[in-house]
Amino acid sequence: MISTGSFLCYAFGVTVLCVLASVFFTDADYHPTGSLKSDCEALIDFRTGLEDPKNLLSSWQGSNCCQWHGFSCDNHTGAVIAINLQNPYPLSSASPARSGLWNLSGEIRSSLGKLRSLQYLDLSSNTFNSIPIPAFLGSLKNLRYLNLSKAGFSGPIPSNLGNLSSLQYLDPSSGFSGLTAPSLDWITSLRSLKYISMNQIDLSMIGSSWVDVFNRLPFLSELRLSSCGLSGSISSGPGIINFTSLAVSDLSFNSFNSKFPSWFTNISTLSYIDLSYCQLPNPLKVAPAADVDLSLNIFQGPVPLPVAGIKLLDISFNQLSGPIPPNLDLFMPDLIFLSLSGNKIEGRIPDSIGQMFSLQVIALSSNKLTRVIPSSIGNCTFLKVLDLENNLLSGHIPHSLGELRHLQSLHLSSNQFSGELPSSFQNLSSLETLDLSNNSFSGNIPPWVGRSFSKQRIISLGMNAFHGKVPCELSNLSSLQILNLANNNLSGRIPACLGDLKAMAKRQTIDHYLFYAKYRGACFVESLVININSLLQKYTKTLPLVRSIDLSGNSLVGEIPEELMKLSGLLVLNLSRNQISGQIPKSISALSDLSSLDLSNNNLSGVIPTSISSMSFLGSLNLSDNILSGKIPFSGHVVTFGASSFAGNPGLCDDPLTAKCPDDYSCKAGPIKEEEAGMDDVHDRWFYLSIASGFAAGVLGPYLILAVRKSWADAYFGIVDKIAHRVLNNQHLGRAARWKQR
């Protein structure tokens, strides 16, 4: 065991050594190795060529350049291995006011080429005012990372960069500053290259040879050649595919005179390809019965047609334009899954789509389609999903849609449809989602909606012109989880039978996508936009968890049915902007999962139930613009809500409102409080005291007067004696008469 004295001596010795080290190895007296010394000298010369208006390189002093800003050295040899002088605030950054703080320019001197151990060099996003890329950079044989992007270089890229056999990352992207590459043959020597970006470099003289050049780089994982002026055909591709590591390919904004390069489909590692704005013509060259999924790209032009029949075509969320080809059925007669959503397609839906009898999914949402729904769609008897929402379609819904007995999801929202619900819809026994919101439908909501759609999960009829009463038959829909009848002309009372909606009476804990028409890994994922606290939110994955009733913006009257409090799984309840009266049910806290409650703009009266403070999941509360009164139960979870939740109720007082309740004000109905009972007892005592005082005054008053005036007393008592004598005499005569009668 080491003694305390020995330990102190040891600690003192270490301290002395540290002090000596700090003295002998400061920058002033530091004697660098030969390699580091030559590197520092080269860097000092390199600095003299730079223009540094903000004096960012002020740390470049002393002989130990490893401590200078932007440099790293090898721990063993001391040689400089990394230089990072990237401008973190380029002109295109989000902080234009700081863009000039790191901006270097001037001359790049050849002394930089003496850093033989350099592995990392980043001069990107500076302004070197159209000087050429120095050719001596090709002598840095150990360089692995070279980033010269958007640094203001121009002229031809020096071919001797091909000498950098260890290079793994190369980015000379120009930002349209004038860089060119007459040839790319030198790139084939960069056998270790994993990443290359030559965006905005003029490669117009290359033709189609670039494909063979990059195909020789076995480790290349990311290739970016956007806006390079490339042209020619790329459909044939290389003879032998050697892109064994390629994961990302950006060839956008070029002018390929070619069909879609089908050889891309043979690159198993490819996860992202961008061929947007490349003017690729039709048709798609694919194998028969293939599945074509080009969704979530930036493809332009008309809807492409395959040269052979396919089963699945998904080109959703691109930038396709023009009409849907009228002869779609001739090119894809056996198509099962069609999704062209999220493009710029216009015109009408062709009648020929009704001749594609195998279709299970027709998804054409979020385009610019016009005219009516062709009645021929009723011929697609296997159809499970029809999604036409967010277009410019108009007219009435064709009765033929009632023939789609396998239809599970129907989305026609955000169009210009009108008329009543066709009675043929009673045949849609498989329907689970009916979204007709934001149109001009009218008429009553037919009672058969609650009898025919036994599997219904979602009914969204908001923002139409439906009138009449809310049908009680809706309570028969045991699977209904979302009911949206907002912003119509509905009247009458809220049906108490809505409390029998079984799916809303229990909490859903299984979180999974709701999808239809699954085919070879593709499917239609259900989604719905729900209004919560005046914010439109789109639900997809969590949609099965949502339980919502929205009856807002109608002319409903009467009280809030107590039966609604049985819907303990409800997450959203919106009854705002009606003419509902009565009180807020005291059992409102039974809706324990409620996250949004909006009862604003009604005629609700009475006090706010104190139980509302126990609703811990409530994230949005709006009771404004009613005639509620009393003290706000500002405790528990209610303290998370501001004054806006209670505004427009003149009778409400205390926090969070500025109006204060009187000290003796009671806002609570029910048994009398102890202090109130005490006040009543005091009032009773004063009552009896006043009676006793009056009696005493009535008796003592005359006595005092007669005691003072003796003559008045003699007269007073003489009258009393006469009255008493007459009374007694009359009583005596009465008794005598009764004895004689006996």
Side-chain angles (χ1 to χ4, degrees):
M1 178 178 293
I2 301 176
S3 64
T4 303
S6 300
F7 176 78
L8 292 174
C9 292
Y10 173 77
F12 177 75
V14 171
T15 303
V16 171
L17 289 175
C18 292
V19 172
L20 291 174
S22 65
V23 172
F24 287 104
F25 292 97
T26 57
D27 287 343
D29 299 317
Y30 176 61
H31 300 287
T33 63
S35 176
L36 180 57
K37 183 178 180 180
S38 61
D39 285 356
C40 292
E41 292 175 351
L43 289 172
I44 292 174
D45 182 70
F46 168 62
R47 179 190 174 183
T48 59
L50 297 177
E51 295 180 8
D52 179 20
K54 298 296 182 180
N55 200 27
L56 297 172
L57 308 181
S58 58
S59 65
W60 291 23
Q61 297 178 4
S63 57
N64 187 3
C65 55
C66 295
Q67 297 183 352
W68 297 353
H69 169 75
F71 294 99
S72 297
C73 296
D74 187 275
N75 292 332
H76 300 290
T77 65
V80 175
I81 59 173
I83 299 178
N84 185 359
L85 298 179
Q86 179 194 44
N87 178 8
Y89 304 109
L91 291 174
S92 60
S93 72
S95 303
R98 305 181 66 183
S99 61
L101 294 181
W102 287 75
N103 199 28
L104 299 175
S105 58
E107 173 191 3
I108 299 180
R109 296 202 170 186
S110 59
S111 54
L112 190 63
K114 297 179 180 179
L115 305 179
R116 300 302 180 184
S117 300
L118 193 64
Q119 301 176 15
Y120 184 104
L121 178 60
D122 190 344
L123 302 177
S124 61
S125 301
N126 285 290
T127 308
F128 287 104
N129 298 319
S130 300
I131 66 173
I133 295 176
F136 64 78
L137 294 180
S139 64
L140 300 173
K141 298 295 182 64
N142 291 311
L143 206 60
R144 299 180 182 179
Y145 182 101
L146 179 59
N147 190 350
L148 306 176
S149 62
K150 299 179 181 179
F153 295 110
S154 65
I157 298 177
S159 59
N160 63 347
L161 291 182
N163 297 330
L164 304 177
S165 57
S166 299
L167 199 64
Q168 299 179 12
Y169 183 105
L170 175 61
D171 188 356
S173 300
S174 73
F176 301 106
S177 64
L179 275 175
T180 63
S183 172
L184 296 179
D185 292 340
W186 54 273
I187 291 180
T188 59
S189 301
L190 305 178
R191 304 286 294 177
S192 301
L193 202 63
K194 297 180 179 179
Y195 175 102
I196 184 169
S197 176
M198 303 184 75
N199 294 336
Q200 295 96 38
I201 295 177
D202 185 1
L203 303 180
S204 58
M205 303 298 294
I206 303 299
S208 301
S209 63
W210 63 270
V211 178
D212 292 316
V213 169
F214 292 107
N215 188 47
R216 299 181 188 181
L217 305 179
F219 302 108
L220 188 64
S221 62
E222 191 159 342
L223 172 64
R224 297 187 176 274
L225 301 176
S226 176
S227 303
C228 292
L230 294 172
S231 59
S233 176
I234 57 173
S235 58
S236 59
I240 299 176
I241 301 297
N242 195 35
F243 289 112
T244 55
S245 303
L246 191 63
V248 175
S249 177
D250 182 0
L251 306 176
S252 58
F253 294 93
N254 286 290
S255 301
F256 299 120
N257 181 20
S258 171
K259 299 176 182 178
F260 181 84
S262 58
W263 53 273
F264 271 128
T265 60
N266 297 324
I267 305 176
S268 59
T269 56
L270 194 62
S271 61
Y272 175 87
I273 178 172
D274 189 351
L275 286 169
S276 59
Y277 298 94
C278 289
Q279 303 176 13
L280 294 179
N282 292 325
L284 287 174
K285 185 176 181 180
V286 293
D291 296 339
V292 179
D293 186 351
L294 300 175
S295 59
L296 296 166
N297 280 288
I298 319 178
F299 288 114
Q300 289 184 307
V303 177
L305 294 173
V307 295
I310 59 177
K311 299 288 187 180
L312 182 148
L313 179 61
D314 187 353
I315 320 182
S316 59
F317 300 102
N318 280 278
Q319 297 184 11
L320 300 178
S321 58
I324 298 175
N327 52 353
L328 203 63
D329 60 317
L330 299 179
F331 286 85
M332 298 176 287
D334 300 320
L335 194 68
I336 294 175
F337 193 107
L338 174 64
S339 180
L340 303 176
S341 298
N343 282 283
K344 301 177 181 178
I345 301 171
E346 54 191 7
R348 62 182 299 173
I349 302 173
D351 291 332
S352 61
I353 201 168
Q355 304 303 314
M356 304 168 71
F357 304 117
S358 299
L359 275 174
Q360 295 185 22
V361 174
I362 299 177
L364 306 176
S365 63
S366 299
N367 281 289
K368 299 178 181 179
L369 296 171
T370 57
R371 307 285 294 274
V372 300
I373 300 176
S375 59
S376 62
I377 288 184
N379 298 327
C380 302
T381 54
F382 293 102
L383 198 65
K384 296 182 179 180
V385 175
L386 179 59
D387 184 4
L388 305 178
E389 68 180 13
N390 196 20
N391 278 286
L392 302 173
L393 298 168
S394 59
H396 293 190
I397 299 178
H399 283 266
S400 61
L401 293 190
E403 302 298 322
L404 304 175
R405 299 179 185 272
H406 296 284
L407 194 66
Q408 295 177 293
S409 180
L410 176 60
H411 288 267
L412 302 179
S413 63
S414 300
N415 279 284
Q416 301 169 13
F417 293 117
S418 59
E420 299 184 0
L421 295 183
S423 59
S424 62
F425 270 24
Q426 297 180 68
N427 301 323
L428 303 179
S429 56
S430 299
L431 198 64
E432 297 185 17
T433 297
L434 176 63
D435 185 4
L436 308 180
S437 59
N438 195 17
N439 280 286
S440 298
F441 291 111
S442 58
N444 293 322
I445 299 176
W448 52 256
V449 171
R451 295 192 296 263
S452 303
F453 301 155
S454 59
K455 299 179 181 179
Q456 198 75 33
R457 295 172 179 263
I458 299 169
I459 294 181
S460 183
L461 305 179
M463 299 184 70
N464 280 287
F466 290 110
H467 57 79
K469 296 182 178 181
V470 178
C472 189
E473 287 80 1
L474 292 175
S475 61
N476 297 328
L477 303 177
S478 58
S479 299
L480 190 66
Q481 63 183 70
I482 296 175
L483 176 62
N484 175 17
L485 305 180
N487 298 298
N488 281 285
N489 299 317
L490 300 174
S491 57
R493 294 175 174 270
I494 299 174
C497 56
L498 292 184
D500 296 330
L501 291 169
K502 295 180 180 179
M504 298 187 187
K506 56 185 178 180
R507 178 185 297 178
Q508 176 62 265
T509 58
I510 301 176
D511 184 10
H512 57 77
Y513 285 103
L514 184 62
F515 59 84
Y516 302 110
K518 186 175 181 181
Y519 174 76
R520 293 187 185 177
C523 63
F524 178 84
V525 179
E526 190 64 273
S527 63
L528 190 73
V529 175
I530 301 176
N531 184 2
I532 298 181
N533 195 25
S534 300
L535 296 176
L536 297 179
Q537 302 182 31
K538 187 174 184 178
Y539 287 82
T540 303
K541 182 178 181 181
T542 58
L543 184 60
L545 300 178
V546 179
R547 301 288 185 271
S548 171
I549 293 180
D550 189 350
L551 305 179
S552 62
N554 285 286
S555 299
L556 300 174
V557 297
E559 298 182 351
I560 299 174
E562 187 72 28
E563 288 78 2
L564 290 185
M565 304 305 108
K566 296 189 298 184
L567 306 179
S568 57
L570 205 61
L571 299 182
V572 178
L573 178 60
N574 190 347
L575 305 179
S576 65
R577 294 179 291 114
N578 282 285
Q579 300 171 26
I580 301 171
S581 57
Q583 297 188 1
I584 300 174
K586 295 179 181 179
S587 58
I588 188 73
S589 60
L591 304 179
S592 55
D593 285 353
L594 206 63
S595 64
S596 177
L597 175 62
D598 192 346
L599 305 178
S600 62
N601 287 278
N602 280 290
N603 298 317
L604 294 171
S605 58
V607 298
I608 300 174
T610 57
S611 62
I612 203 170
S613 61
S614 65
M615 302 174 69
S616 56
F617 288 103
L618 202 59
S620 173
L621 174 65
N622 193 351
L623 305 179
S624 63
D625 297 306
N626 282 283
I627 49 177
L628 298 169
S629 59
K631 184 176 181 180
I632 297 173
F634 199 64
S635 61
H637 195 64
V638 177
V639 300
T640 62
F641 302 111
S644 60
S645 296
F646 310 96
N649 291 278
L652 288 178
C653 54
D654 269 10
D655 293 335
L657 300 178
T658 56
K660 298 301 179 183
C661 296
D663 293 339
D664 60 346
Y665 191 88
S666 173
C667 68
K668 181 178 180 180
I672 299 176
K673 297 180 181 179
E674 292 183 4
E675 57 267 28
E676 294 174 342
M679 290 299 296
D680 290 342
D681 185 57
V682 171
H683 293 159
D684 292 342
R685 292 177 182 179
W686 276 107
F687 174 74
Y688 292 116
L689 181 60
S690 63
I691 293 177
S693 301
F695 177 80
V699 173
L700 294 177
Y703 174 77
L704 293 174
I705 294 173
L706 296 176
V708 174
R709 293 280 186 175
K710 188 176 183 300
S711 60
W712 289 9
D714 293 338
Y716 172 79
F717 286 113
I719 294 173
V720 172
D721 286 341
K722 288 180 180 180
I723 293 174
H725 176 73
R726 289 181 181 179
V727 171
L728 291 174
N729 187 44
N730 289 337
Q731 289 180 350
H732 176 72
L733 292 175
R735 289 175 184 173
R738 287 194 294 271
W739 276 107
K740 288 181 179 181
Q741 291 176 358
R742 291 180 181 178

